Amino acid sequence: MNATINVVVNGEDREIPAGLTVAALLGHLRMGADRVAVERNLEILPRARWNDTTVETGDRFEIVHFVGGGECRTTNPACLL
C-alpha cells in the first residue's frame, strides 16, 4: 500500500503520494516548472529550494502559472488602458 498525504493546492484539497518534493509535486500535478511561482504556507518558495523541500501533510500551496504572448491591436479597447 502506498502512503498518501493531504495538501491544499490553489484552494483545492488534494491527496498526493507521501515523500514528494515540491519539484516532484509539480510533475505529479502535470505543471511545467518553467513558468510557475510557488507559494507554500503563505511564503514564496524560491525555485532553488524546490528539489530539497519535502511536501508535508497540511501544506497549503498557491501555484501561479505565467502565460505570455498575444498581440495588442489598437482595435482592442483593453490594449488602450
Side-chain angles (χ1 to χ4, degrees):
M1 180 167 94
N2 294 332
T4 61
I5 63 172
N6 294 309
V7 298
V8 176
V9 178
N10 295 343
E12 182 179 320
D13 292 326
R14 299 278 189 131
E15 186 175 27
I16 63 167
L20 293 181
T21 64
V22 172
L25 172 65
L26 293 174
H28 178 76
L29 298 173
R30 294 187 174 103
M31 293 183 157
D34 59 333
R35 290 187 165 183
V36 298
V38 177
E39 178 188 275
R40 177 182 181 232
N41 301 326
L42 302 176
E43 293 186 16
I44 300 296
L45 186 65
R47 184 179 301 270
R49 294 183 40 213
W50 292 0
N51 285 320
D52 57 355
T53 300
T54 302
V55 178
E56 304 283 339
T57 297
D59 277 349
R60 299 182 69 85
F61 292 93
E62 292 295 326
I63 303 172
V64 179
H65 188 265
F66 297 101
V67 293
E71 184 175 328
C72 188
R73 299 175 187 258
T74 57
T75 57
N76 180 348
C79 292
L80 301 175
L81 299 176

